[in-house]
Amino acid sequence: MIDEKLEAIYSDIVRMNPGELEFHQATRDVLDSLGPVVARHPEFARHKIIQRICEPERQVIFRVPWQDDAGDVCINRGYRVEFNSALGPYKGGLRFHPSVTLGIVKFLGFEQIFKNALTGLPIGGAKGGSNFNPKGRSDDEIMRFCQSFMTELYRHVGEYTDVPAGDTGVGTREIGYLFGQYKRITNRYESGALTGKGTTWGGALVRTEATGYGTAFFLSEMLAARNDTLDGKACVVSGSGNVAIYAIEKLTQLGARVVACSDSDGVAHDPAGIDVELLKQVKEVERGRVSDYARRRPSATFEPRAVVWQISCDVAVPCATQNELTGRDAAMLVENGCVAVAEGANMPCSPEAVQIFQHAGIAFGPGKAANAGGVATSALEMQQNASRDSWTFDHTEQRLAEIMASIHETCWLVAEAYGAEGNYVVGANIAGFQRVAEAMIALGLV
Ligand code: NDP
């Protein structure tokens, strides 16, 4: 429930950002947690920190013209929302997906502020992307699109200014084309200007795995707080992209059995446990579908247009997209005995679903805490670029595990300090907000 003192602020957000439903949802989620914080810290109200934090520092919208393989001219829309730079240069991924609108980019950028603050690293919050659909496009088309996108974006990017990375539809291939164009236009090999680079040209080991691995580490911490482990747990993961694949890999390494994953066509159910090497081959090398995985795996079946959450599990890990897990799905998971949920994706659980989980006493890790491992490892990539160093896989993974444990502890302690023991939503929102708020006050009215 939103505090009545914050209700007017929320009404203004809705009025000032009409039609941006996901942005409203993301701000409401944070404001819901902040009532007790403003009561304890009147200085936050005096400095109008909440109103300022909900208004992006800069929003860039641009035309992206490019030519397809047939020679036809195509036009897409590009966005970069630089939300908050109180803690460091703007940092956040780029999403290429037909569903991208300004409201989607703003919700993601807003979440990113608090997620980045929770990592304890010096990074501000931003997000960007385009309504470009990479699915079915040739490498040449992807390259031409990325080059055109960067031809505008480059003027806003830089290692001390704004450091984009990948997200849905943007992986190492796209970062390569974007970085190549940035290098060409600026005539600078500025590795720190983009993260998620290939490991042979400035990228960091573990960045590809980091979001999914981090989510599994966070789950492990949540279970440990309840004297439980992942060992022997049946898990269901949605999606089969970057986050999902590496969540599946780490969950399996930690002793769990992942029995299903999905894409927008349907669900692969594999009671024997997903064979992650086969999944990688199908998705990363062949750019295939989970139906191709199921065809090649004797223990698996594919159900088109199915909902992955109907498969009974102990642990659910949504790793696809926003609002993919509804109240109805949550009720089904609770009924089937699910004990923990961690958001690998950004805001995949609807507000109703989150309420159902919390009401049922399920351990629930919100994305801004549970999936922060990706951006944390991006910040480690920036550190390595700045010192012209490169760390081993084991060292970087160890740093990632420590960061996830520290995020878990911070959320736990802050929730406890505000009388909401075990509520990671409250813990993450308040801890992230306070760190940014204090920096904003220190930096003056800018
Ligand atoms: P990818 O593009 O690699 O994968 C997305 C996956 O989700 C694909 O399998 C896609 O299937 C599936 N998907 C998308 N929409 C739906 C849907 N409506 N129903 C079922 N499946 C769907 O993206 P990422 O793995 O990088 O990102 C996934 C989520 O994680 C996003 O919310 C992103 O913001 C978040 N995230 C990503 C980070 C990263 O480092 N990459 C960091 C932190 C968060 P299909 O191919 O059919 O579209």
Side-chain angles (χ1 to χ4, degrees):
M1 267 299 288
I2 204 161
D3 186 280
E4 62 183 32
K5 287 194 286 300
L6 303 181
E7 197 61 69
I9 298 178
Y10 181 68
S11 300
D12 279 348
I13 291 169
V14 172
R15 188 175 50 77
M16 294 273 291
N17 304 277
E20 296 176 353
L21 301 184
E22 291 81 4
F23 180 54
H24 303 165
Q25 185 182 334
T27 52
R28 170 121 213 167
D29 174 77
V30 172
L31 264 56
D32 271 348
S33 302
L34 293 184
V37 182
V38 288
R40 270 191 213 181
H41 293 277
E43 71 275 18
F44 292 162
R46 204 164 52 245
H47 290 280
K48 294 227 163 47
I49 293 296
I50 299 181
Q51 293 91 326
R52 283 161 63 194
I53 226 168
C54 292
E55 184 68 20
E57 290 175 11
R58 186 176 298 107
Q59 306 181 57
V60 187
I61 303 180
F62 50 98
R63 182 177 66 190
V64 189
W66 58 283
Q67 251 178 327
D68 68 15
D69 286 344
D72 288 334
V73 171
C74 307
I75 313 288
N76 286 98
R77 188 170 288 176
Y79 304 91
R80 187 71 179 165
V81 175
E82 298 178 333
F83 229 113
N84 194 292
S85 59
L87 293 176
Y90 305 107
K91 181 92 197 84
L94 299 171
R95 176 179 289 191
F96 292 167
H97 193 272
S99 64
V100 168
T101 59
L102 180 61
I104 295 281
V105 177
K106 279 165 72 178
F107 117 65
L108 291 164
F110 184 73
E111 291 269 297
Q112 199 79 44
I113 304 171
F114 308 100
K115 180 187 310 192
N116 293 5
L118 278 174
T119 66
L121 297 164
I123 38 180
K127 201 82 186 189
S130 172
N131 61 350
F132 171 68
N133 186 0
K135 231 181 262 177
R137 291 293 179 188
S138 69
D139 273 3
D140 285 347
E141 290 176 317
I142 301 276
M143 181 180 75
R144 286 194 292 273
F145 176 81
C146 288
Q147 290 177 339
S148 180
F149 187 86
M150 186 51 88
T151 300
E152 171 59 33
L153 190 71
Y154 88 93
R155 64 191 90 239
H156 308 288
V157 167
E159 65 179 311
Y160 297 110
T161 314
D162 184 352
V163 186
D167 190 77
T168 300
V170 179
T172 312
R173 173 182 58 172
E174 290 74 19
I175 294 291
Y177 296 143
L178 291 163
F179 183 68
Q181 184 72 352
Y182 181 80
K183 181 175 80 64
R184 184 180 193 189
I185 295 174
T186 61
N187 194 29
R188 280 163 62 88
Y189 204 106
E190 190 187 332
S191 301
L194 282 167
T195 60
K197 300 180 293 295
T199 49
T200 53
W201 42 276
L205 291 169
V206 194
R207 176 59 190 93
T208 303
E209 295 84 355
T211 308
Y213 275 23
T215 304
F217 288 141
F218 195 85
L219 256 170
S220 192
E221 295 288 334
M222 288 202 301
L223 289 170
R226 297 172 167 225
N227 294 318
D228 201 354
T229 70
L230 277 165
D231 202 28
K233 295 270 187 302
C235 303
V236 163
V237 172
S238 65
S240 49
N242 172 263
V243 179
I245 289 172
Y246 291 96
I248 294 170
E249 181 164 273
K250 187 50 72 183
L251 288 166
T252 309
Q253 287 171 8
L254 293 173
R257 188 168 40 94
V258 182
V259 296
C261 64
S262 65
D263 58 26
S264 50
D265 296 338
V267 172
H269 185 194
D270 190 350
I274 300 279
D275 175 346
V276 78
E277 290 312 318
L278 176 60
L279 186 65
K280 280 188 202 174
Q281 174 65 27
V282 169
K283 294 293 302 184
E284 294 184 334
V285 180
E286 299 166 19
R287 295 187 186 274
R289 313 291 298 157
V290 295
S291 53
D292 300 319
Y293 168 87
R295 238 191 316 278
R296 278 154 63 177
R297 171 91 167 150
S299 54
T301 52
F302 177 72
E303 202 185 327
R305 292 177 297 281
V307 175
V308 75
W309 313 119
Q310 71 198 10
I311 295 168
S312 172
C313 64
D314 304 308
V315 172
V317 194
C319 296
T321 193
Q322 61 276 358
N323 290 323
E324 55 162 312
L325 197 162
T326 64
R328 198 156 152 250
D329 300 328
M332 205 149 47
L333 285 165
V334 171
E335 203 177 302
N336 288 338
C338 177
V339 295
V341 178
E343 294 187 323
N346 285 310
M347 211 168 76
C349 299
S350 72
E352 194 193 354
V354 176
Q355 263 186 8
I356 290 171
F357 291 142
Q358 291 181 330
H359 204 251
I362 285 180
F364 174 74
K368 52 173 87 69
N371 72 34
V375 73
T377 309
S378 274
L380 302 183
E381 182 174 334
M382 290 161 74
Q383 273 183 37
Q384 290 167 74
N385 291 150
S387 58
R388 307 229 188 287
D389 196 2
S390 63
W391 305 345
T392 63
F393 192 97
D394 288 350
H395 174 70
T396 317
E397 189 184 3
Q398 183 56 35
R399 287 287 309 268
L400 170 64
E402 286 162 11
I403 290 169
M404 296 315 295
S406 147
I407 293 174
H408 176 272
E409 191 186 14
T410 302
C411 294
W412 181 272
L413 293 176
V414 171
E416 200 173 47
Y418 278 89
E421 193 167 326
N423 187 331
Y424 296 98
V425 174
V426 165
N429 283 341
I430 296 182
F433 174 81
Q434 281 199 178
R435 184 158 183 246
V436 181
E438 281 157 17
M440 286 174 74
I441 291 176
L443 298 186
L445 187 54
V446 290

